[in-house]
Amino acid sequence: MQLDVTSLPGDGIGPEVTSQAIRVLDGVAARFGHELSIDEKEIGGAALKQFGNPLPDSTLQACLRSKAVLLGAVGSPEFDRNSRNLRPETGLLRLRRELGAFANLRPAVLYESLANRSPLREEVVRGTDILIVRELLGGLYFGEPRSINESTGATVATNTMTYTEPEIERIARIGFQLARTRRRQLLSVDKANVLECSRLWREVVTRVGQHFPEVQLAHMYVDSAAMLLVLKPSSFDVILTENMFGDILSDQAGGVVGSLGLLASASVGGLVGLYEPVHGSAPDIAGQGVANPLGAILSVAMMLRHTFGLHKEAECVEAGVVAALKAGFRTRDLAGASERTVSTDEMGNQILQFVSDGAARD
Ligand code: NAD
């Protein structure tokens, strides 16, 4: 199969983790006989420096031409004081919108060999296997009007949360379809006791759920869900929620399973699939060669599965991650006090070697 991928390394640790993910993808293509073509472009701060625009047209067009996009991360303190249009994050939000990728899938799985790395007790966290289905193109991150108004006395900041029925319906359908392929339990998370958007959310999700009688639907307020995620993370199967709640709960889920650096994501439902680790550009560790590349590598596995339908290849990458962790390879974020750590490159090497050696094991 021809695998046409646009790579957007971005800022901070983005280029470090993306290069490992591309090496693994290259290894998969070589082993399974696919043709990989990578078009590398700029986004975020890197694009601002070169083009004065966080999402240059050349980047957007390349993404639209390809079958899938792999993104590292965007954001850097040097742009934090820029106006909204000139912020790295604005480039990513625009890219998501242009690609129409409204469904953000964020798995949070506890790897058995990392059970002792969770801040929670092993017996609490064991068995955690959650899929967060986050609506990605609506809610507070995109709602208008939005402003900071400094003209009258005290500064006033405004954001708007808006959801339409069709927006909720389409993400709910994806949530139920995915729940059907898992343990058939869907928890819809909202704040219907306070927000009108959430009341509509609950009503529409309930209605869509009637078409999926085999899936058990429950509703929960976001504050209760955040608490339950810490008290009993293994009780969740699929969590369906709106944009900002999903953003927050998925980072929390990352902490629960051991490290944000492990979490992958897929943004699907639009013209082209967008795959990116859940973490940001981590300026505090950028350039040190210590970043965990597994979130980016597992994003490649999601790309193989969701865009290219290559399930065996996706499973091979995931098995490589399990094997590396089981063999004791740990980047700094995953290591206990007395454990030896490996660099970003070394962790990438392990997965690449597993993927490439497969032929010998087959
Ligand atoms: P962050 O995810 O970058 O970092 C949070 C913490 O997790 C840091 O201590 C960091 O060192 C650690 N961490 C993150 N990824 C890691 C990895 N792969 N390996 C090891 N440790 C890792 O979040 P932040 O510090 O809140 O934000 C930093 C910048 O990233 C900001 O500019 C923010 O806007 C941006 N951001 C971008 C995205 C994205 O591109 N999708 C997402 C979140 C934040």
Side-chain angles (χ1 to χ4, degrees):
M1 184 185 281
Q2 178 68 32
L3 311 178
D4 290 327
V5 175
T6 302
S7 166
L8 308 177
D11 307 320
I13 62 169
E16 299 167 44
V17 298
T18 312
S19 63
Q20 298 309 315
I22 296 285
R23 286 175 71 214
V24 170
L25 188 55
D26 208 20
V28 168
R31 162 153 174 221
F32 290 90
H34 303 297
E35 196 68 40
L36 176 65
S37 158
I38 301 284
D39 194 2
E40 187 174 308
K41 295 286 180 199
E42 297 74 26
I43 191 167
L48 274 169
K49 278 188 189 149
Q50 212 172 321
F51 302 97
N53 179 348
L55 181 67
D57 203 44
S58 50
T59 297
L60 178 59
Q61 293 312 321
C63 293
L64 289 169
R65 273 196 307 274
S66 61
K67 292 270 170 27
V69 178
L70 178 69
L71 182 129
V74 298
S76 161
E78 75 180 279
F79 302 109
D80 279 354
R81 295 176 153 270
N82 281 18
S83 64
R84 182 154 54 89
N85 284 345
L86 295 177
R87 289 183 62 112
E89 293 80 0
T90 303
L92 175 55
L93 290 181
R94 208 185 127 216
L95 177 66
R96 289 172 177 165
R97 200 180 51 217
E98 296 283 351
L99 298 181
F102 67 86
N104 187 215
L105 318 182
R106 297 184 157 194
V109 178
L110 181 84
Y111 291 97
E112 195 53 35
S113 50
L114 290 181
N116 64 348
R117 289 305 302 146
S118 171
L120 305 182
R121 289 195 313 277
E122 285 190 41
E123 68 268 25
V124 171
V125 78
R126 208 160 247 135
T128 299
D129 177 359
I130 307 172
L131 176 63
I132 298 181
V133 178
R134 167 191 173 198
E135 200 291 326
L136 200 59
L137 296 184
L140 274 174
Y141 294 8
F142 288 94
E144 298 284 350
R146 57 187 295 163
S147 62
I148 294 191
N149 193 337
E150 293 170 2
S151 60
T152 51
T155 304
V156 178
T158 305
N159 287 97
T160 305
M161 185 187 265
T162 307
Y163 269 107
T164 66
E165 221 175 313
E167 277 175 325
I168 303 170
E169 235 174 72
R170 65 183 184 176
I171 188 72
R173 227 173 285 125
I174 300 250
F176 281 105
Q177 282 162 0
L178 287 165
R180 213 160 46 180
T181 67
R182 294 170 50 97
R183 298 189 301 281
R184 301 181 174 193
Q185 286 172 21
L186 185 139
L187 181 72
S188 176
V189 171
D190 61 38
K191 188 72 182 165
N193 50 342
V194 176
L195 300 173
E196 279 72 13
C197 279
S198 283
R199 282 208 277 280
L200 179 64
W201 181 278
R202 198 173 271 221
E203 187 187 310
V204 175
V205 170
T206 304
R207 195 169 66 229
V208 174
Q210 288 164 2
H211 300 281
F212 297 87
E214 67 279 37
V215 176
Q216 196 186 336
L217 168 65
H219 301 275
M220 194 176 283
Y221 299 139
V222 63
D223 37 357
S224 300
M227 186 176 68
L228 192 63
L229 195 50
V230 171
L231 290 180
K232 217 174 168 212
S234 61
S235 66
F236 294 91
D237 179 15
V238 175
I239 296 178
L240 170 69
T241 191
E242 65 91 46
N243 202 344
M244 186 175 67
F245 297 161
D247 195 2
I248 297 169
L249 289 178
S250 52
D251 271 33
Q252 190 188 339
V256 165
V257 298
S259 171
L260 188 54
L262 284 171
L263 262 58
S265 85
S267 301
V268 297
L271 298 165
V272 177
L274 173 64
Y275 299 87
E276 49 179 319
V278 168
H279 63 75
S281 57
D284 53 331
I285 57 166
Q288 298 175 24
V290 299
N292 182 348
L294 294 181
I297 289 171
L298 288 166
S299 298
V300 157
M302 294 190 84
M303 174 192 291
L304 289 165
R305 180 173 289 121
H306 291 283
T307 288
F308 297 112
L310 297 173
H311 298 271
K312 203 162 37 126
E313 288 80 343
E315 280 160 21
C316 177
V317 174
E318 287 160 353
V321 170
V322 172
L325 293 175
K326 202 167 166 197
F329 291 92
R330 303 276 184 272
T331 42
R332 203 171 69 183
D333 56 312
L334 300 176
S338 58
E339 283 177 315
R340 193 179 86 80
T341 60
V342 296
S343 67
T344 310
D345 286 9
E346 285 171 289
M347 186 60 106
N349 287 344
Q350 285 308 310
I351 317 300
L352 178 61
Q353 198 180 328
F354 181 94
V355 165
S356 310
D357 284 356
R361 287 192 309 270
D362 287 346

mmCIF file of all heavy atoms in Angstrom, residues 280-329:
data_model
loop_
_atom_site.group_PDB
_atom_site.id
_atom_site.type_symbol
_atom_site.label_atom_id
_atom_site.label_comp_id
_atom_site.label_asym_id
_atom_site.label_seq_id
_atom_site.Cartn_x
_atom_site.Cartn_y
_atom_site.Cartn_z
ATOM 1 N N GLY A 280 2.162 18.098 25.143
ATOM 2 C CA GLY A 280 2.540 19.314 24.443
ATOM 3 C C GLY A 280 4.020 19.331 24.103
ATOM 4 O O GLY A 280 4.668 18.267 24.042
ATOM 5 N N SER A 281 4.557 20.531 23.904
ATOM 6 C CA SER A 281 5.934 20.663 23.414
ATOM 7 C C SER A 281 6.979 20.545 24.534
ATOM 8 O O SER A 281 8.176 20.560 24.258
ATOM 9 C CB SER A 281 6.088 22.006 22.703
ATOM 10 O OG SER A 281 5.746 23.052 23.596
ATOM 11 N N ALA A 282 6.527 20.438 25.771
ATOM 12 C CA ALA A 282 7.405 20.224 26.941
ATOM 13 C C ALA A 282 8.703 21.036 26.866
ATOM 14 O O ALA A 282 9.797 20.467 26.837
ATOM 15 C CB ALA A 282 7.714 18.723 27.100
ATOM 16 N N PRO A 283 8.610 22.370 26.854
ATOM 17 C CA PRO A 283 9.825 23.182 26.736
ATOM 18 C C PRO A 283 10.834 22.902 27.842
ATOM 19 O O PRO A 283 12.041 23.102 27.640
ATOM 20 C CB PRO A 283 9.316 24.630 26.812
ATOM 21 C CG PRO A 283 7.850 24.582 26.940
ATOM 22 C CD PRO A 283 7.378 23.173 26.944
ATOM 23 N N ASP A 284 10.341 22.419 29.006
ATOM 24 C CA ASP A 284 11.259 22.167 30.132
ATOM 25 C C ASP A 284 12.270 21.054 29.848
ATOM 26 O O ASP A 284 13.319 21.001 30.479
ATOM 27 C CB ASP A 284 10.458 21.857 31.422
ATOM 28 C CG ASP A 284 9.428 20.732 31.243
ATOM 29 O OD1 ASP A 284 8.919 20.547 30.118
ATOM 30 O OD2 ASP A 284 9.135 20.033 32.231
ATOM 31 N N ILE A 285 11.971 20.163 28.891
ATOM 32 C CA ILE A 285 12.920 19.065 28.621
ATOM 33 C C ILE A 285 13.367 19.042 27.151
ATOM 34 O O ILE A 285 14.093 18.140 26.751
ATOM 35 C CB ILE A 285 12.324 17.687 28.999
ATOM 36 C CG1 ILE A 285 11.007 17.431 28.246
ATOM 37 C CG2 ILE A 285 12.115 17.559 30.496
ATOM 38 C CD1 ILE A 285 10.560 15.961 28.313
ATOM 39 N N ALA A 286 12.936 20.037 26.380
ATOM 40 C CA ALA A 286 13.251 20.026 24.936
ATOM 41 C C ALA A 286 14.757 20.100 24.704
ATOM 42 O O ALA A 286 15.483 20.777 25.441
ATOM 43 C CB ALA A 286 12.558 21.200 24.258
ATOM 44 N N GLY A 287 15.230 19.366 23.718
ATOM 45 C CA GLY A 287 16.638 19.421 23.321
ATOM 46 C C GLY A 287 17.554 18.573 24.186
ATOM 47 O O GLY A 287 18.760 18.526 23.956
ATOM 48 N N GLN A 288 17.006 17.887 25.177
ATOM 49 C CA GLN A 288 17.863 17.104 26.090
ATOM 50 C C GLN A 288 17.932 15.630 25.717
ATOM 51 O O GLN A 288 18.643 14.856 26.348
ATOM 52 C CB GLN A 288 17.341 17.224 27.533
ATOM 53 C CG GLN A 288 17.374 18.642 28.074
ATOM 54 C CD GLN A 288 16.729 18.734 29.453
ATOM 55 O OE1 GLN A 288 16.647 17.759 30.190
ATOM 56 N NE2 GLN A 288 16.253 19.917 29.803
ATOM 57 N N GLY A 289 17.118 15.209 24.747
ATOM 58 C CA GLY A 289 17.117 13.794 24.333
ATOM 59 C C GLY A 289 16.509 12.874 25.373
ATOM 60 O O GLY A 289 16.801 11.675 25.397
ATOM 61 N N VAL A 290 15.642 13.419 26.256
ATOM 62 C CA VAL A 290 15.055 12.576 27.309
ATOM 63 C C VAL A 290 13.549 12.356 27.125
ATOM 64 O O VAL A 290 12.927 11.613 27.881
ATOM 65 C CB VAL A 290 15.301 13.162 28.723
ATOM 66 C CG1 VAL A 290 16.784 13.247 29.021
ATOM 67 C CG2 VAL A 290 14.630 14.526 28.882
ATOM 68 N N ALA A 291 12.963 13.001 26.124
ATOM 69 C CA ALA A 291 11.500 12.903 25.949
ATOM 70 C C ALA A 291 11.092 11.467 25.634
ATOM 71 O O ALA A 291 11.814 10.739 24.952
ATOM 72 C CB ALA A 291 11.045 13.829 24.826
ATOM 73 N N ASN A 292 9.933 11.107 26.112
ATOM 74 C CA ASN A 292 9.375 9.779 25.846
ATOM 75 C C ASN A 292 8.721 9.801 24.446
ATOM 76 O O ASN A 292 7.763 10.544 24.232
ATOM 77 C CB ASN A 292 8.323 9.474 26.929
ATOM 78 C CG ASN A 292 7.724 8.105 26.791
ATOM 79 O OD1 ASN A 292 7.907 7.432 25.776
ATOM 80 N ND2 ASN A 292 6.995 7.686 27.808
ATOM 81 N N PRO A 293 9.208 8.980 23.519
ATOM 82 C CA PRO A 293 8.629 9.007 22.164
ATOM 83 C C PRO A 293 7.450 8.049 21.993
ATOM 84 O O PRO A 293 6.906 7.937 20.902
ATOM 85 C CB PRO A 293 9.810 8.538 21.301
ATOM 86 C CG PRO A 293 10.531 7.557 22.177
ATOM 87 C CD PRO A 293 10.351 8.033 23.608
ATOM 88 N N LEU A 294 7.047 7.342 23.077
ATOM 89 C CA LEU A 294 6.044 6.284 22.896
ATOM 90 C C LEU A 294 4.662 6.830 22.514
ATOM 91 O O LEU A 294 3.929 6.189 21.764
ATOM 92 C CB LEU A 294 5.955 5.400 24.148
ATOM 93 C CG LEU A 294 7.226 4.591 24.431
ATOM 94 C CD1 LEU A 294 7.049 3.718 25.678
ATOM 95 C CD2 LEU A 294 7.623 3.715 23.246
ATOM 96 N N GLY A 295 4.305 8.021 23.011
ATOM 97 C CA GLY A 295 3.021 8.619 22.618
ATOM 98 C C GLY A 295 2.983 8.851 21.109
ATOM 99 O O GLY A 295 1.980 8.580 20.443
ATOM 100 N N ALA A 296 4.093 9.352 20.563
ATOM 101 C CA ALA A 296 4.162 9.594 19.112
ATOM 102 C C ALA A 296 4.181 8.270 18.351
ATOM 103 O O ALA A 296 3.515 8.116 17.322
ATOM 104 C CB ALA A 296 5.409 10.423 18.790
ATOM 105 N N ILE A 297 4.919 7.297 18.875
ATOM 106 C CA ILE A 297 5.016 5.992 18.196
ATOM 107 C C ILE A 297 3.655 5.283 18.212
ATOM 108 O O ILE A 297 3.218 4.697 17.218
ATOM 109 C CB ILE A 297 6.132 5.142 18.860
ATOM 110 C CG1 ILE A 297 7.499 5.759 18.508
ATOM 111 C CG2 ILE A 297 6.059 3.681 18.443
ATOM 112 C CD1 ILE A 297 8.687 5.178 19.256
ATOM 113 N N LEU A 298 2.961 5.380 19.344
ATOM 114 C CA LEU A 298 1.628 4.759 19.413
ATOM 115 C C LEU A 298 0.620 5.521 18.543
ATOM 116 O O LEU A 298 -0.379 4.946 18.105
ATOM 117 C CB LEU A 298 1.161 4.682 20.870
ATOM 118 C CG LEU A 298 1.915 3.638 21.710
ATOM 119 C CD1 LEU A 298 1.666 3.846 23.204
ATOM 120 C CD2 LEU A 298 1.518 2.211 21.303
ATOM 121 N N SER A 299 0.889 6.795 18.275
ATOM 122 C CA SER A 299 0.027 7.550 17.357
ATOM 123 C C SER A 299 0.171 6.996 15.939
ATOM 124 O O SER A 299 -0.785 6.973 15.161
ATOM 125 C CB SER A 299 0.378 9.046 17.372
ATOM 126 O OG SER A 299 0.176 9.576 18.666
ATOM 127 N N VAL A 300 1.379 6.546 15.607
ATOM 128 C CA VAL A 300 1.605 5.903 14.309
ATOM 129 C C VAL A 300 0.799 4.597 14.224
ATOM 130 O O VAL A 300 0.219 4.278 13.184
ATOM 131 C CB VAL A 300 3.128 5.656 14.105
ATOM 132 C CG1 VAL A 300 3.376 4.545 13.115
ATOM 133 C CG2 VAL A 300 3.808 6.938 13.638
ATOM 134 N N ALA A 301 0.743 3.877 15.337
ATOM 135 C CA ALA A 301 -0.069 2.648 15.346
ATOM 136 C C ALA A 301 -1.535 2.994 15.075
ATOM 137 O O ALA A 301 -2.224 2.303 14.319
ATOM 138 C CB ALA A 301 0.077 1.923 16.684
ATOM 139 N N MET A 302 -2.011 4.090 15.701
ATOM 140 C CA MET A 302 -3.409 4.493 15.466
ATOM 141 C C MET A 302 -3.618 4.896 14.009
ATOM 142 O O MET A 302 -4.654 4.622 13.413
ATOM 143 C CB MET A 302 -3.793 5.656 16.396
ATOM 144 C CG MET A 302 -3.811 5.271 17.867
ATOM 145 S SD MET A 302 -4.526 6.540 18.936
ATOM 146 C CE MET A 302 -6.287 6.175 18.807
ATOM 147 N N MET A 303 -2.613 5.539 13.412
ATOM 148 C CA MET A 303 -2.693 5.926 12.002
ATOM 149 C C MET A 303 -2.811 4.679 11.116
ATOM 150 O O MET A 303 -3.638 4.617 10.198
ATOM 151 C CB MET A 303 -1.430 6.717 11.616
ATOM 152 C CG MET A 303 -1.327 7.051 10.148
ATOM 153 S SD MET A 303 0.319 7.659 9.719
ATOM 154 C CE MET A 303 0.362 9.233 10.524
ATOM 155 N N LEU A 304 -1.975 3.687 11.407
ATOM 156 C CA LEU A 304 -1.992 2.460 10.600
ATOM 157 C C LEU A 304 -3.377 1.811 10.676
ATOM 158 O O LEU A 304 -3.907 1.345 9.677
ATOM 159 C CB LEU A 304 -0.914 1.488 11.099
ATOM 160 C CG LEU A 304 0.530 1.925 10.791
ATOM 161 C CD1 LEU A 304 1.529 1.130 11.633
ATOM 162 C CD2 LEU A 304 0.841 1.762 9.298
ATOM 163 N N ARG A 305 -3.973 1.849 11.865
ATOM 164 C CA ARG A 305 -5.276 1.194 12.050
ATOM 165 C C ARG A 305 -6.407 2.032 11.460
ATOM 166 O O ARG A 305 -7.204 1.536 10.670
ATOM 167 C CB ARG A 305 -5.511 0.964 13.544
ATOM 168 C CG ARG A 305 -6.836 0.287 13.853
ATOM 169 C CD ARG A 305 -6.965 -0.078 15.319
ATOM 170 N NE ARG A 305 -6.088 -1.173 15.679
ATOM 171 C CZ ARG A 305 -5.136 -1.096 16.614
ATOM 172 N NH1 ARG A 305 -4.943 0.023 17.290
ATOM 173 N NH2 ARG A 305 -4.381 -2.132 16.889
ATOM 174 N N HIS A 306 -6.476 3.315 11.830
ATOM 175 C CA HIS A 306 -7.666 4.106 11.494
ATOM 176 C C HIS A 306 -7.653 4.668 10.083
ATOM 177 O O HIS A 306 -8.690 4.731 9.434
ATOM 178 C CB HIS A 306 -7.860 5.237 12.513
ATOM 179 C CG HIS A 306 -8.260 4.743 13.863
ATOM 180 N ND1 HIS A 306 -9.533 4.329 14.167
ATOM 181 C CD2 HIS A 306 -7.535 4.556 14.997
ATOM 182 C CE1 HIS A 306 -9.590 3.926 15.427
ATOM 183 N NE2 HIS A 306 -8.381 4.063 15.956
ATOM 184 N N THR A 307 -6.489 5.104 9.581
ATOM 185 C CA THR A 307 -6.478 5.654 8.217
ATOM 186 C C THR A 307 -6.229 4.564 7.185
ATOM 187 O O THR A 307 -6.903 4.509 6.160
ATOM 188 C CB THR A 307 -5.406 6.764 8.071
ATOM 189 O OG1 THR A 307 -5.856 7.909 8.770
ATOM 190 C CG2 THR A 307 -5.187 7.145 6.602
ATOM 191 N N PHE A 308 -5.262 3.690 7.470
ATOM 192 C CA PHE A 308 -4.857 2.738 6.424
ATOM 193 C C PHE A 308 -5.499 1.357 6.589
ATOM 194 O O PHE A 308 -5.349 0.509 5.717
ATOM 195 C CB PHE A 308 -3.320 2.627 6.386
ATOM 196 C CG PHE A 308 -2.658 3.929 6.023
ATOM 197 C CD1 PHE A 308 -1.886 4.635 6.941
ATOM 198 C CD2 PHE A 308 -2.823 4.478 4.754
ATOM 199 C CE1 PHE A 308 -1.297 5.848 6.611
ATOM 200 C CE2 PHE A 308 -2.233 5.697 4.406
ATOM 201 C CZ PHE A 308 -1.464 6.381 5.339
ATOM 202 N N GLY A 309 -6.191 1.134 7.693
ATOM 203 C CA GLY A 309 -6.837 -0.175 7.898
ATOM 204 C C GLY A 309 -5.834 -1.310 8.019
ATOM 205 O O GLY A 309 -6.166 -2.470 7.752
ATOM 206 N N LEU A 310 -4.588 -0.988 8.435
ATOM 207 C CA LEU A 310 -3.535 -2.004 8.530
ATOM 208 C C LEU A 310 -3.446 -2.493 9.988
ATOM 209 O O LEU A 310 -2.600 -2.039 10.765
ATOM 210 C CB LEU A 310 -2.198 -1.422 8.048
ATOM 211 C CG LEU A 310 -2.175 -0.988 6.573
ATOM 212 C CD1 LEU A 310 -0.871 -0.264 6.226
ATOM 213 C CD2 LEU A 310 -2.353 -2.199 5.651
ATOM 214 N N HIS A 311 -4.325 -3.406 10.340
ATOM 215 C CA HIS A 311 -4.452 -3.833 11.741
ATOM 216 C C HIS A 311 -3.248 -4.630 12.222
ATOM 217 O O HIS A 311 -2.771 -4.439 13.336
ATOM 218 C CB HIS A 311 -5.751 -4.616 11.922
ATOM 219 C CG HIS A 311 -6.962 -3.777 11.625
ATOM 220 N ND1 HIS A 311 -7.596 -3.014 12.570
ATOM 221 C CD2 HIS A 311 -7.609 -3.533 10.467
ATOM 222 C CE1 HIS A 311 -8.597 -2.354 12.025
ATOM 223 N NE2 HIS A 311 -8.625 -2.647 10.739
ATOM 224 N N LYS A 312 -2.748 -5.509 11.361
ATOM 225 C CA LYS A 312 -1.605 -6.346 11.764
ATOM 226 C C LYS A 312 -0.382 -5.450 12.035
ATOM 227 O O LYS A 312 0.339 -5.637 13.009
ATOM 228 C CB LYS A 312 -1.294 -7.307 10.606
ATOM 229 C CG LYS A 312 -0.570 -8.548 11.004
ATOM 230 C CD LYS A 312 -0.665 -9.635 9.944
ATOM 231 C CE LYS A 312 -0.612 -9.121 8.544
ATOM 232 N NZ LYS A 312 0.314 -9.606 7.617
ATOM 233 N N GLU A 313 -0.200 -4.455 11.181
ATOM 234 C CA GLU A 313 0.927 -3.543 11.326
ATOM 235 C C GLU A 313 0.788 -2.724 12.615
ATOM 236 O O GLU A 313 1.769 -2.515 13.347
ATOM 237 C CB GLU A 313 0.995 -2.592 10.114
ATOM 238 C CG GLU A 313 1.453 -3.229 8.820
ATOM 239 C CD GLU A 313 0.394 -4.028 8.063
ATOM 240 O OE1 GLU A 313 -0.645 -4.380 8.673
ATOM 241 O OE2 GLU A 313 0.597 -4.307 6.875
ATOM 242 N N ALA A 314 -0.449 -2.260 12.889
ATOM 243 C CA ALA A 314 -0.688 -1.478 14.118
ATOM 244 C C ALA A 314 -0.375 -2.339 15.346
ATOM 245 O O ALA A 314 0.294 -1.888 16.293
ATOM 246 C CB ALA A 314 -2.142 -1.007 14.163
ATOM 247 N N GLU A 315 -0.838 -3.589 15.308
ATOM 248 C CA GLU A 315 -0.606 -4.484 16.455
ATOM 249 C C GLU A 315 0.881 -4.754 16.651
ATOM 250 O O GLU A 315 1.356 -4.905 17.778
ATOM 251 C CB GLU A 315 -1.353 -5.814 16.251
ATOM 252 C CG GLU A 315 -2.823 -5.680 16.594
ATOM 253 C CD GLU A 315 -3.678 -6.766 15.962
ATOM 254 O OE1 GLU A 315 -3.138 -7.827 15.596
ATOM 255 O OE2 GLU A 315 -4.896 -6.522 15.818
ATOM 256 N N CYS A 316 1.617 -4.794 15.549
ATOM 257 C CA CYS A 316 3.059 -5.039 15.636
ATOM 258 C C CYS A 316 3.748 -3.882 16.385
ATOM 259 O O CYS A 316 4.587 -4.115 17.262
ATOM 260 C CB CYS A 316 3.609 -5.180 14.211
ATOM 261 S SG CYS A 316 5.372 -5.410 14.169
ATOM 262 N N VAL A 317 3.369 -2.650 16.071
ATOM 263 C CA VAL A 317 3.958 -1.490 16.764
ATOM 264 C C VAL A 317 3.575 -1.534 18.250
ATOM 265 O O VAL A 317 4.425 -1.344 19.133
ATOM 266 C CB VAL A 317 3.474 -0.162 16.121
ATOM 267 C CG1 VAL A 317 3.955 1.041 16.929
ATOM 268 C CG2 VAL A 317 3.939 -0.066 14.668
ATOM 269 N N GLU A 318 2.309 -1.819 18.519
ATOM 270 C CA GLU A 318 1.850 -1.854 19.918
ATOM 271 C C GLU A 318 2.562 -2.973 20.691
ATOM 272 O O GLU A 318 2.945 -2.787 21.846
ATOM 273 C CB GLU A 318 0.326 -2.054 19.956
ATOM 274 C CG GLU A 318 -0.409 -0.788 19.523
ATOM 275 C CD GLU A 318 -1.848 -1.018 19.071
ATOM 276 O OE1 GLU A 318 -2.272 -2.183 18.963
ATOM 277 O OE2 GLU A 318 -2.537 -0.026 18.787
ATOM 278 N N ALA A 319 2.772 -4.099 20.029
ATOM 279 C CA ALA A 319 3.480 -5.212 20.680
ATOM 280 C C ALA A 319 4.924 -4.815 20.956
ATOM 281 O O ALA A 319 5.509 -5.212 21.972
ATOM 282 C CB ALA A 319 3.425 -6.458 19.792
ATOM 283 N N GLY A 320 5.509 -4.017 20.068
ATOM 284 C CA GLY A 320 6.877 -3.528 20.272
ATOM 285 C C GLY A 320 6.966 -2.667 21.520
ATOM 286 O O GLY A 320 7.933 -2.762 22.293
ATOM 287 N N VAL A 321 5.953 -1.836 21.742
ATOM 288 C CA VAL A 321 5.932 -0.970 22.933
ATOM 289 C C VAL A 321 5.800 -1.822 24.196
ATOM 290 O O VAL A 321 6.543 -1.638 25.171
ATOM 291 C CB VAL A 321 4.774 0.065 22.829
ATOM 292 C CG1 VAL A 321 4.585 0.810 24.150
ATOM 293 C CG2 VAL A 321 5.046 1.036 21.678
ATOM 294 N N VAL A 322 4.886 -2.785 24.161
ATOM 295 C CA VAL A 322 4.700 -3.670 25.321
ATOM 296 C C VAL A 322 6.011 -4.398 25.626
ATOM 297 O O VAL A 322 6.447 -4.471 26.789
ATOM 298 C CB VAL A 322 3.564 -4.695 25.051
ATOM 299 C CG1 VAL A 322 3.507 -5.740 26.162
ATOM 300 C CG2 VAL A 322 2.222 -3.977 24.932
ATOM 301 N N ALA A 323 6.672 -4.894 24.569
ATOM 302 C CA ALA A 323 7.910 -5.670 24.760
ATOM 303 C C ALA A 323 9.016 -4.792 25.344
ATOM 304 O O ALA A 323 9.737 -5.219 26.254
ATOM 305 C CB ALA A 323 8.349 -6.274 23.427
ATOM 306 N N ALA A 324 9.148 -3.566 24.834
ATOM 307 C CA ALA A 324 10.205 -2.679 25.330
ATOM 308 C C ALA A 324 9.987 -2.357 26.806
ATOM 309 O O ALA A 324 10.925 -2.347 27.601
ATOM 310 C CB ALA A 324 10.250 -1.394 24.495
ATOM 311 N N LEU A 325 8.729 -2.103 27.177
ATOM 312 C CA LEU A 325 8.440 -1.770 28.576
ATOM 313 C C LEU A 325 8.656 -2.995 29.473
ATOM 314 O O LEU A 325 9.208 -2.893 30.563
ATOM 315 C CB LEU A 325 7.005 -1.243 28.709
ATOM 316 C CG LEU A 325 6.743 0.114 28.028
ATOM 317 C CD1 LEU A 325 5.262 0.476 28.105
ATOM 318 C CD2 LEU A 325 7.580 1.229 28.670
ATOM 319 N N LYS A 326 8.248 -4.147 28.961
ATOM 320 C CA LYS A 326 8.401 -5.383 29.736
ATOM 321 C C LYS A 326 9.883 -5.709 29.947
ATOM 322 O O LYS A 326 10.283 -6.209 31.007
ATOM 323 C CB LYS A 326 7.720 -6.522 28.977
ATOM 324 C CG LYS A 326 7.343 -7.665 29.845
ATOM 325 C CD LYS A 326 6.406 -8.608 29.120
ATOM 326 C CE LYS A 326 6.305 -9.913 29.878
ATOM 327 N NZ LYS A 326 5.756 -10.979 29.081
ATOM 328 N N ALA A 327 10.687 -5.371 28.930
ATOM 329 C CA ALA A 327 12.129 -5.653 29.039
ATOM 330 C C ALA A 327 12.824 -4.620 29.932
ATOM 331 O O ALA A 327 14.041 -4.691 30.135
ATOM 332 C CB ALA A 327 12.753 -5.657 27.642
ATOM 333 N N GLY A 328 12.061 -3.631 30.419
ATOM 334 C CA GLY A 328 12.626 -2.696 31.396
ATOM 335 C C GLY A 328 13.155 -1.395 30.804
ATOM 336 O O GLY A 328 13.793 -0.611 31.518
ATOM 337 N N PHE A 329 12.920 -1.145 29.522
ATOM 338 C CA PHE A 329 13.387 0.124 28.946
ATOM 339 C C PHE A 329 12.485 1.249 29.442
ATOM 340 O O PHE A 329 11.265 1.169 29.347
ATOM 341 C CB PHE A 329 13.401 0.045 27.418
ATOM 342 C CG PHE A 329 14.460 -0.884 26.914
ATOM 343 C CD1 PHE A 329 14.187 -2.230 26.678
ATOM 344 C CD2 PHE A 329 15.759 -0.432 26.736
ATOM 345 C CE1 PHE A 329 15.180 -3.099 26.270
ATOM 346 C CE2 PHE A 329 16.762 -1.299 26.327
ATOM 347 C CZ PHE A 329 16.468 -2.639 26.095
#
